Amino acid sequence: MLSPQREDEIIDLINREVIPAIGCTEPIAVALCTAKATELLGTRPKKIKATLSANIIKNAMGVGIPGTGMIGLPIAIALGALKGKSMYELEVLKDVDEESISEGKKMIAENRIAIGQKKGINEKLYIEIECEGEGERKSKAIISGSHTRFVYLHDGEKTIEDLRGEQSGDETEHVCNLDFDTIYKFATETDLDKLRFILDSAHLNTGAWHESMNADYGHRLGEVIRKGLGKQIIGESIFADIVASTAGACDARMGGAMVTVMSNSGSGNQGITATMPVVRYATLTGKSEEELIRALILSHLTVIYIKQSLGRLSALCGCVVAGTGSSCGITYLMGGNYNQLTYAVKNMIANLTGMICDGAKPSCALKVTSGISTAIYSALMAMEDKTVSSLEGIIDDDVDRTIANFSRIGVTAMANADEEILRIMLEK
């Protein structure tokens, strides 16, 4: 049994990492930073200069901005200045209306927004917004390390806050001694009433799936799977439902639906992928509320654990990480024991490691389906006590070392790939 203090630490960690968000978190974080800089200026800015890390640019170029029918950073920045409220954090644009969208388009047309890449930094998540007002007064806000962590604030006259140079902004660092055994014990032994909060992820992310059926979002992959030729080929199985519902939620989010999803480790798609397969499997197989709650905790906490070493943004697609979490949740719902959960993790990492992240965009739904399909295969193998062995590739007998090997691929081996991906995207 974990101590009550340890349980509370982990609950606090989950509550920081599994949070509501509207839209793709990278452009929304830029909008958040713009809203803060505008508030510091005290008036609508005449000009806005955004200086961003390469990974922020990569993840914000091709994604829909909620409620606008537009994609990319310019409209996110404009709306952050015109209608954003920093107190909403990753729901910063929830008050956007038609008038502000029209004003935002005008701001873009007047070339009042400049966007550039921040050079010479190691931080993958870096957002610097400078707003210019009357009399050339300039305010500045900087987010670094995580999507809502402000490290520098200047109101045009004085510095309000300066945390630059302090330890990395990853807010999970002080609880970095997680391991898979701890995750399993926490999810399966903690008093159920302490864990009920995780059901909010089921409610919000199921709402995104339902919204996907109401409009033409993204590539409508969820509907492609559920209807017509997709239905004829794939059928109406539990597998088809899980894949279609998860893809549909991603369609809505990446297509610009004005819906709130529950994110994980700064990513809405990770939150969706860690949630929907577990929820749909539990629903379709008649599992109890307790089983669902514990499975969701297993899924979300596994994602948080892996992202602690991999980092919030990387060259590896987060759907692989989130799919690993959901595979654990599904394996648990199938009646899997601790060893079988570790098999599911190893099977996932043996298959999809290396899937690149080439930015947030509607086609992320395709990658989500790859992650979820593999999650189900991995769980099925695990339930038959089948696991990829340490004789095969990067898999280790120890599940925590296997996860560490996966993270090494993303952090070290694919560092140059990340830069090349961005160059390709910018050259098109």
Side-chain angles (χ1 to χ4, degrees), residues 126-147:
Y126 182 92
I127 302 164
E128 179 181 314
I129 301 293
E130 183 179 84
C131 290
E132 181 179 333
E134 298 297 331
E136 298 187 354
R137 179 183 169 189
K138 296 179 180 179
S139 64
K140 182 180 289 187
I142 298 174
I143 285 175
S144 180
S146 65
H147 293 78

Side-chain angles (χ1 to χ4, degrees), residues 180 184 327-332 334-347 378-387 399:
F180 199 73
Y184 182 77
S327 189
C328 290
I330 291 170
T331 302
Y332 173 80
M334 289 176 172
N337 57 32
Y338 174 79
N339 285 335
Q340 288 166 325
L341 264 68
T342 68
Y343 298 163
V345 173
K346 293 177 187 179
N347 295 339
S378 297
L380 292 170
M381 284 180 62
M383 292 305 296
E384 296 293 329
D385 291 320
K386 302 293 185 184
T387 181
V399 66

Side-chain angles (χ1 to χ4, degrees), residues 221 243 319 348 351-352 355 364-375 377:
L221 182 56
V243 175
C319 295
M348 280 294 300
N351 188 353
L352 287 185
M355 182 190 290
C364 285
L366 280 165
K367 296 188 179 187
V368 164
T369 60
S370 296
I372 296 312
S373 300
T374 299
Y377 302 147

Side-chain angles (χ1 to χ4, degrees), residues 87-375:
M87 65 180 181
Y88 293 160
E89 294 196 322
L90 294 182
E91 296 179 278
V92 61
L93 297 184
K94 68 180 182 180
D95 291 340
V96 163
D97 53 23
E98 289 300 322
E99 181 181 354
S100 57
I101 293 170
S102 178
E103 291 177 2
K105 290 178 179 178
K106 182 180 179 182
M107 181 180 288
I108 294 168
E110 292 172 350
N111 294 317
R112 292 164 56 191
I113 298 171
I115 301 171
Q117 183 178 345
K118 183 73 172 181
K119 302 290 187 179
I121 59 169
N122 294 322
E123 178 58 64
K124 292 181 178 294
L125 200 166
Y126 182 92
I127 302 164
E128 179 181 314
I129 301 293
E130 183 179 84
C131 290
E132 181 179 333
E134 298 297 331
E136 298 187 354
R137 179 183 169 189
K138 296 179 180 179
S139 64
K140 182 180 289 187
I142 298 174
I143 285 175
S144 180
S146 65
H147 293 78
T148 59
R149 182 178 186 262
F150 287 96
V151 299
Y152 183 79
L153 301 173
H154 194 283
D155 68 3
E157 296 179 354
K158 61 183 181 300
T159 298
I160 308 299
E161 185 169 60
D162 191 353
L163 304 178
R164 295 174 298 178
E166 293 191 6
Q167 197 170 20
S168 170
D170 190 339
E171 298 169 309
T172 67
E173 282 189 322
H174 72 284
V175 193
C176 63
N177 58 337
L178 282 176
D179 55 47
F180 199 73
D181 181 67
T182 298
I183 291 170
Y184 182 77
K185 288 178 179 176
F186 175 81
T188 58
E189 297 175 2
T190 302
D191 182 84
L192 193 65
D193 286 338
K194 288 187 172 184
L195 306 179
R196 289 187 184 278
F197 68 89
I198 203 66
L199 289 175
D200 289 344
S201 68
H203 172 71
L204 288 178
N205 293 336
T206 298
W209 166 44
H210 291 161
E211 176 62 25
S212 73
M213 303 176 193
N214 296 329
D216 190 17
Y217 294 114
H219 298 295
R220 293 188 65 79
L221 182 56
E223 293 297 285
V224 168
I225 294 167
R226 289 195 322 116
K227 296 180 178 179
L229 191 59
K231 180 179 178 180
Q232 179 182 332
I233 293 174
I234 303 174
E236 295 184 87
S237 62
I238 293 174
F239 177 91
D241 183 286
I242 289 173
V243 175
S245 61
T246 310
C250 182
D251 285 330
R253 176 176 177 264
M254 305 312 284
M258 184 59 82
V259 293
T260 301
V261 303
M262 192 67 82
S263 65
N264 184 306
S265 303
S267 167
N269 281 348
Q270 285 172 184
I272 288 169
T273 307
T275 304
M276 288 304 300
V278 178
V279 170
R280 295 308 299 158
Y281 184 86
T283 301
L284 295 169
T285 57
K287 300 301 178 182
S288 68
E289 182 181 73
E290 176 173 356
E291 289 172 307
L292 172 60
I293 290 170
R294 297 194 185 280
L296 284 171
I297 290 290
L298 268 170
S299 180
H300 279 285
L301 193 52
T302 298
V303 176
I304 292 168
Y305 171 41
I306 297 173
K307 291 296 289 185
Q308 283 185 342
S309 55
L310 180 61
R312 293 182 183 273
L313 301 177
S314 80
L316 290 181
C317 177
C319 295
V320 181
V321 180
T324 302
S326 64
S327 189
C328 290
I330 291 170
T331 302
Y332 173 80
L333 291 172
M334 289 176 172
N337 57 32
Y338 174 79
N339 285 335
Q340 288 166 325
L341 264 68
T342 68
Y343 298 163
V345 173
K346 293 177 187 179
N347 295 339
M348 280 294 300
I349 291 175
N351 188 353
L352 287 185
T353 298
M355 182 190 290
I356 65 168
C357 172
D358 53 345
K361 56 205 177 304
S363 61
C364 285
L366 280 165
K367 296 188 179 187
V368 164
T369 60
S370 296
I372 296 312
S373 300
T374 299

Side-chain angles (χ1 to χ4, degrees), residues 47-69:
K47 294 181 180 179
I48 303 172
K49 179 181 178 182
T51 310
L52 313 169
S53 60
N55 285 75
I56 292 291
I57 294 173
K58 182 183 75 172
N59 277 3
M61 286 175 61
V63 68
I65 305 304
T68 68

